[in-house]
Amino acid sequence: MKNLIFAGIFFLTCAINAQYTTPGTGVVWNFNDLVDNSGGVVVTDPDNPTNGFIVNATVTVEEPDEILIITDIVVRIKQDFDIVFNSSKFTVDAPGQALFTAFNQSNEWGRIVIDDDAIVDLKNAKFTYGKGIRVAIDPTGSFIVDNCEFSYNFDNDSSPMYAAINLTEGFATIKNSTFLDNYYAAIASGANTSSTFIIENNYFEGNVTSNTNRPQINIGPCAAGDTSKIIGNTIIGNRLHTMAGGIGTSSLLSVSCAFLIQDNFIQDNRYGITLTGSNIYGKIIGNVLLDNNTEVNPMMGGSGINITNSASNVFAYISQNFILGHLWGITAVGNVPYLTHGPYLNLGNIDVEPDHPDYNIGMNFFRNNGNGGLLYDFYNNNPHDIMAQNNNWGVETQDFDNISTVVWHQPTDERFGLVTFMPPYIETYTVSGRVVAENEPLVGAQLNVEIGENVYSTTINSDGVFEFTAENNAFISITITCEGYYDYTNSFTIEDADVDLGDIVMIPIDPPTYTVSGRVVDENGPLSALLFVEIDGVVYTVTLESDGVFEFTAENNAFISITITCGGYHPQTISFTIEDDDVDLGDIVMIPFIPPTYTVSGRVVDENGPLQGANVHIIITQDYGTYDILFLTDETGIFEVADIIKNNATVTIKIDKIGYDSYENSFIVEDEDVTLGDILLTKIQFPAPQNFEMTYTYYKWDEWGMCAGDVVYGPTYCSTFQWEVPYLTETSAQLTGYNLYYYYTDVYYEGMEIPIDNVVLVAHTTNNYLQMEVGIIGLLWVTAVYTEPEGESVHSNYEFNDDLPISIDKSEIPSYSIVYNQQERAVEIFGIENIKSIAIYGLDGILLNSIDDCNNIIEMKNISQGVYIIKITTETGNIISDKIVVF
């Protein structure tokens, strides 16, 4: 007989000596505020002045103050100094990470101390190289940790039970966080204090680097009536730390509390899960426990799950766990060596109805758990009888004799309780597949399955799919048969996985086939027709070439129906059955028919009645080609097309006349004439000018010419604009003149959107001709202006100019330079003497600035960036023109 004993769990408290205390007036501060108010206790980190801080002494946040961190910061804390929250608030919600670490990694800082009814909400924070967080809050406070990291925290107190997070009372939620290589446990609470918690979806690895007897999660009792939950965590040990366990829960109080340990992955620890103490109810469900056997002495650990109770009640409900590679699978330990008390366990009870409180589906899986050459899936070192039905034990054959070799209970020692493990859970797997032929399900196939000595048959369903279950390690042979196909056979062994055979393609036994042939003709010879061939209910389409010949094969006794269609001919259908011979249908003569035609008509009118001289453009698209017909309406305004429009033809009608809005309509002719009735064209009220043109003449500095009736001297531009008078016959409005518009752009493309606010009205004229002493880069157009009623037409066509020539004659001018001084925002002129005047023009020819009797400098402070023309006139009458670039 083996009597199993496992180590206990311990806790410690610490004192706080604060050197700066917040005012307790309800301030909400960040660390910059602490720098401003702490008198040097908190200072800006000179190595990281942007978001770094140094804590030189203990900081206490007094009720009801709050430390609020919503930016990424780095806080370095000097050795042994704490941050204490005394009934106050501590909130971290950094966008990236708020880091709390030691000033020097070789000298750990103190703790984050949460006292009384403090409210703590930590998101995206990291705590490293310190002594962790101690939480002691009453029920009015709260402690929430989400997406944080705790690593390399260290406390070598002489009686340590500290952890990266040490819970002493109150309620805590710790989720989505990471705990790495902390000196003692990652999370701990006292065995003699009440602390209810939720530990969910966290990652633990390599904690308890001290290699002392404690688990990575080391939890004491919860508050009366509450349930503490450890759900969905990953807990990985370091196999060099042989004393570090996975999850440990205990209670040294008389308070009755509950634990839920569910869906955790626990690997490479001293043990997986241990539950010890008194007045505890624990549910251990759906956990995966692998190789928690770093303790090589089986009397000191190595259990996947250990439940220990030497006095008061401990109840454990254990279901649906996977327990692999331990020294012991599950151990239930009483008050050895007398075995008068022990825990109550339920590993599976299917003798009661599912709604009964004792019902447990079991389904725990045990594999390779043992030591000393023996397997120990379950060791009941406990006086109580235990139900352990519907589990899968670590033996090849799940029967009474084999399971008895891995379950240690009353037959081993009469002091042990009896374990009821029959019936076991027989692990089964699914075998599935689909039977197909020519990529389609094969209906009516027969499936024959042989499993050991059992044989059964079934017909494959209409989808071709089959599915059945078999026990693990079963040898299976299947045969699939179907008339007209070769048999399919396959044999295999179930090996811890479902078997999907995928598509099983049946190979047909080729039947004899015969040829069906013929030729489609009319009175003039072969036709290119379309054949619909139906063979035993399946329809195929065949398109004949110009020789009209067709040929295909079919099996004997097949019923065949052939329907032949050809545009302009009556369809024909021929039906027959293949009877052991080829079938030659010879010439199949198609009978033509004359399809009906339909008429499309209408009348074009304006507000005064029928409209003469309208252009009617009719486009007819049909099977036999496209017709394009043009009409010019007479005094009746009527148009009509007859005798050529077939059914289902698409007809498009476009009507236009100068001075009127155009009309367009498309429709399909469907078994009747189409009468469009009166089509009203509306006169254009304000016709636009047509064929707008722009030309310009450039006069150099030593040239002259005429522009707009005046003599002009170079350098200058003379631009000429001209256009055609609008078509005015069909409008009653009176034309009064034209507006010339300009918009500056150095790039123009068709469809470009022109912002109205930037359009310039250049000139208004009553003529269709305009001349101006100006050179323009950009876009121009003209509109017509009307009265009776008043209005303005849409724009004419656009004219676009993207450059202007600048010709400079320097033959009689000594070498000079013109420089733009960006710093002074001025133009400086070198090499030109006796300057009389300087003028600055835009590229559109508009004068922007001029100075008379000046020196060689002209300011450009109120001119935007761009290219400009500078014109310099000397006392001797010389004129120099050049480009300058302002930037």
Side-chain angles (χ1 to χ4, degrees):
M1 182 188 77
K2 298 178 185 292
N3 293 325
L4 307 182
I5 305 173
F6 293 93
I9 303 176
F10 306 95
F11 287 90
L12 175 69
T13 60
C14 65
I16 300 173
N17 181 20
Q19 295 188 16
Y20 173 72
T21 301
T22 64
T25 57
V27 296
V28 179
W29 279 355
N30 56 29
F31 266 76
N32 284 314
D33 297 317
L34 289 174
V35 170
D36 294 338
N37 293 278
S38 67
V41 171
V42 180
V43 298
T44 300
D45 190 342
D47 295 333
N48 182 14
T50 301
N51 64 343
F53 303 91
I54 295 174
V55 178
N56 293 307
T58 293
V59 175
T60 298
V61 182
E62 195 61 66
E63 180 183 10
D65 296 343
E66 177 180 1
I67 298 299
L68 174 63
I69 300 172
I70 58 174
T71 60
D72 293 346
I73 64 171
V74 178
V75 180
R76 295 196 297 155
I77 306 171
K78 292 190 176 179
Q79 184 178 9
D80 291 332
F81 292 124
D82 301 335
I83 300 178
V84 180
F85 292 88
N86 186 16
S87 301
S88 51
K89 294 181 68 175
F90 183 26
T91 303
V92 178
D93 191 5
Q97 185 183 80
L99 172 61
F100 295 83
T101 188
F103 181 80
N104 184 335
Q105 291 183 2
S106 62
N107 295 312
E108 291 78 8
W109 57 284
R111 300 178 181 86
I112 301 289
V113 179
I114 313 300
D115 278 343
D116 299 328
D117 56 351
I119 297 175
V120 178
D121 190 350
L122 306 179
K123 293 184 181 69
N124 305 331
K126 181 176 180 179
F127 302 89
T128 184
Y129 295 105
K131 294 184 179 181
I133 297 181
R134 183 177 69 85
V135 183
I137 54 177
D138 63 31
T140 63
S142 66
F143 180 73
I144 299 174
V145 173
D146 186 4
N147 195 35
C148 294
E149 180 180 333
F150 298 81
S151 56
Y152 306 106
N153 291 288
F154 179 89
D155 193 340
N156 60 352
D157 191 276
S158 59
S159 57
M161 268 314 296
Y162 292 115
I165 296 179
N166 186 35
L167 307 170
T168 59
E169 58 182 319
F171 182 83
T173 298
I174 303 168
K175 60 184 179 180
N176 307 320
S177 296
T178 301
F179 296 81
L180 303 174
D181 296 315
N182 294 287
Y183 188 71
Y184 289 128
I187 302 173
S189 67
N192 56 356
T193 60
S194 297
S195 179
T196 304
F197 54 84
I198 296 174
I199 301 174
E200 185 174 10
N201 196 35
N202 301 286
Y203 183 84
F204 302 82
E205 184 173 357
N207 297 288
V208 195
T209 60
S210 60
N211 198 23
T212 52
N213 178 22
R214 69 202 68 240
Q216 296 195 57
I217 299 178
N218 190 7
I219 297 301
C222 58
D226 281 348
T227 298
S228 289
K229 300 175 182 179
I230 305 175
I231 300 175
N233 301 281
T234 298
I235 305 167
I236 308 298
N238 183 333
R239 298 197 67 84
L240 297 178
H241 302 157
T242 60
M243 299 292 287
I247 297 175
T249 64
S250 65
S251 175
L252 301 183
L253 301 175
S254 60
V255 174
S256 176
C257 66
F259 293 99
L260 173 62
I261 304 174
Q262 183 172 344
D263 297 335
N264 300 283
F265 182 90
I266 308 172
Q267 183 178 14
D268 291 338
N269 298 280
R270 181 186 181 190
Y271 50 82
I273 299 171
T274 182
L275 187 67
T276 184
S278 60
N279 295 315
I280 299 174
Y281 181 80
K283 281 192 173 184
I284 303 174
I285 303 173
N287 301 281
V288 177
L289 300 109
L290 299 178
D291 300 327
N292 295 287
N293 56 13
T294 59
E295 172 58 74
V296 297
N297 183 352
M299 300 307 297
M300 297 299 293
S303 293
I305 299 174
N306 169 254
I307 311 297
T308 299
N309 176 25
S310 60
S312 301
N313 296 331
V314 172
F315 298 88
Y317 176 99
I318 303 174
S319 178
Q320 303 171 70
N321 300 282
F322 186 84
I323 305 168
L324 170 66
H326 301 85
L327 304 183
W328 317 86
I330 297 177
T331 51
V333 182
N335 59 334
V336 293
Y338 306 107
L339 291 178
T340 57
H341 297 286
Y344 296 89
L345 274 64
N346 183 347
L347 272 67
N349 186 351
I350 58 174
D351 285 347
V352 296
E353 295 298 322
D355 58 352
H356 193 280
D358 291 336
Y359 179 81
N360 181 353
I361 198 170
M363 292 186 65
N364 296 288
F365 284 76
F366 300 86
R367 293 291 185 274
N368 194 30
N369 300 293
N371 64 84
L374 297 175
L375 295 178
Y376 297 97
D377 281 346
F378 180 44
Y379 199 106
N380 187 26
N381 195 355
N382 167 53
H384 301 303
D385 293 342
I386 293 175
M387 296 295 290
Q389 295 175 321
N390 203 41
N391 295 297
N392 192 269
W393 305 91
V395 292
E396 183 173 346
T397 303
Q398 300 289 317
D399 58 22
F400 183 88
D401 291 340
N402 282 282
I403 297 172
S404 294
T405 65
V406 297
V407 176
W408 299 74
H409 59 136
Q410 194 174 87
T412 305
D413 189 318
E414 63 182 10
R415 294 177 301 170
F416 294 170
L418 181 68
V419 177
T420 301
F421 50 73
M422 295 299 289
Y425 174 76
I426 306 298
E427 191 172 10
T428 61
Y429 294 95
T430 299
V431 178
S432 61
R434 189 174 74 131
V435 182
V436 299
E438 298 180 351
N439 296 320
E440 294 294 333
L442 185 58
V443 180
Q446 188 77 15
L447 172 68
N448 303 290
V449 181
E450 182 178 345
I451 305 176
E453 298 179 355
N454 300 316
V455 178
Y456 70 91
S457 299
T458 185
T459 301
I460 303 297
N461 67 22
S462 59
D463 295 326
V465 173
F466 65 87
E467 181 176 290
F468 60 89
T469 59
E471 296 179 13
N472 196 35
N473 298 318
F475 179 78
I476 297 174
S477 177
I478 67 171
T479 301
I480 301 173
T481 61
C482 188
E483 184 178 354
Y485 294 85
Y486 293 102
D487 293 349
Y488 168 89
T489 61
N490 191 8
S491 298
F492 50 88
T493 300
I494 300 291
E495 296 180 349
D496 298 313
D498 294 335
V499 177
D500 184 0
L501 297 172
D503 281 356
I504 298 173
V505 180
M506 301 293 286
I507 308 301
I509 302 172
D510 295 333
T513 59
Y514 297 94
T515 299
V516 177
S517 60
R519 189 174 72 137
V520 180
V521 299
D522 67 358
E523 59 185 6
N524 298 315
L527 289 175
S528 178
L530 188 65
L531 268 69
F532 297 95
V533 180
E534 183 178 348
I535 304 175
D536 290 335
V538 180
V539 178
Y540 306 89
T541 303
V542 180
T543 301
L544 303 187
E545 301 299 332
S546 58
D547 61 1
V549 174
F550 64 87
E551 180 178 292
F552 59 88
T553 61
E555 297 179 9
N556 194 38
N557 297 318
F559 179 78
I560 297 174
S561 178
I562 301 175
T563 300
I564 307 168
T565 62
C566 185
Y569 295 85
H570 294 283
Q572 290 198 48
T573 299
I574 304 170
S575 300
F576 53 91
T577 300
I578 299 291
E579 296 180 349
D580 299 313
D581 200 359
D582 296 334
V583 177
D584 184 359
L585 297 172
D587 283 353
I588 302 171
V589 181
M590 303 294 288
I591 307 301
F593 67 89
I594 301 173
T597 60
Y598 299 94
T599 299
V600 173
S601 61
R603 186 174 72 146
V604 183
V605 300
D606 66 3
E607 59 185 3
N608 299 315
L611 186 61
Q612 184 177 5
N615 297 304
V616 181
H617 184 193
I618 302 177
I619 303 169
I620 304 165
T621 304
Q622 51 195 0
D623 293 341
Y624 309 107
T626 299
Y627 296 87
D628 202 332
I629 302 171
L630 296 174
F631 285 97
L632 185 65
T633 57
D634 58 15
E635 66 276 4
T636 68
I638 294 173
F639 64 89
E640 180 178 281
V641 179
D643 298 329
I644 63 172
I645 302 177
K646 307 293 193 299
N647 194 40
N648 294 321
T650 299
V651 179
T652 299
I653 298 179
K654 301 177 180 180
I655 304 174
D656 62 76
K657 178 177 172 58
I658 295 176
Y660 290 83
D661 290 326
S662 60
Y663 166 88
E664 182 173 339
N665 186 18
S666 294
F667 51 87
I668 296 175
V669 175
E670 296 179 344
D671 298 315
E672 63 180 354
D673 295 336
V674 177
T675 301
L676 297 172
D678 284 352
I679 299 172
L680 176 65
L681 296 189
T682 303
K683 293 180 181 180
I684 298 176
Q685 189 173 25
F686 303 122
Q690 304 295 318
N691 299 322
F692 173 63
E693 294 181 352
M694 176 187 70
T695 59
Y696 62 86
T697 302
Y698 175 65
Y699 298 103
K700 296 186 292 184
W701 71 274
D702 55 350
E703 295 178 350
W704 65 276
M706 298 296 296
C707 185
D710 295 325
V711 177
V712 295
Y713 296 92
T716 189
Y717 301 92
C718 183
S719 294
T720 301
F721 311 97
Q722 57 188 14
W723 53 91
E724 294 179 4
V725 175
Y727 186 83
L728 302 173
T729 304
E730 303 299 339
T731 180
S732 60
Q734 301 299 309
L735 177 66
T736 62
Y738 306 92
N739 286 337
L740 178 65
Y741 291 99
Y742 164 74
Y743 168 68
Y744 171 72
T745 179
D746 55 0
V747 177
Y748 172 70
Y749 54 88
E750 190 71 26
M752 176 177 174
E753 184 176 348
I754 301 172
I756 296 176
D757 292 343
N758 295 334
V759 172
V760 177
L761 176 62
V762 178
H764 177 79
T765 179
T766 58
N767 300 314
N768 62 326
Y769 171 92
L770 184 65
Q771 198 172 53
M772 302 175 66
E773 185 182 358
V774 65
I776 293 179
I777 290 179
L779 202 63
L780 293 108
W781 64 92
V782 67
T783 64
V785 181
Y786 295 88
T787 60
E788 298 181 6
E790 292 184 356
E792 186 174 0
S793 73
V794 298
H795 64 79
S796 67
N797 56 291
Y798 292 115
E799 278 287 281
F800 175 63
N801 185 40
D802 61 356
D803 196 13
L804 292 172
I806 295 179
S807 177
I808 304 167
D809 189 348
K810 303 179 183 178
S811 58
E812 297 182 3
I813 304 300
S815 176
Y816 71 89
S817 62
I818 301 174
V819 178
Y820 174 64
N821 186 326
Q822 184 185 26
Q823 184 174 0
E824 298 295 333
R825 296 283 288 170
V827 173
E828 300 178 357
I829 303 167
F830 303 93
I832 301 177
E833 302 296 334
N834 301 318
I835 295 175
K836 180 180 180 182
S837 65
I838 300 174
I840 303 296
Y841 296 86
L843 290 179
D844 56 4
I846 296 175
L847 178 65
L848 303 176
N849 195 7
S850 64
I851 298 178
D852 296 328
D853 300 324
C854 63
N855 54 20
N856 289 49
I857 297 177
I858 180 170
E859 291 187 352
M860 304 286 285
K861 292 183 178 180
N862 296 321
I863 296 179
S864 60
Q865 295 179 353
V867 180
Y868 299 89
I869 300 170
I870 184 169
K871 178 179 177 182
I872 303 170
T873 304
T874 67
E875 296 289 351
T876 59
N878 288 329
I879 298 175
I880 303 166
S881 296
D882 209 338
K883 288 182 179 178
I884 60 170
V885 179
V886 175
F887 54 91

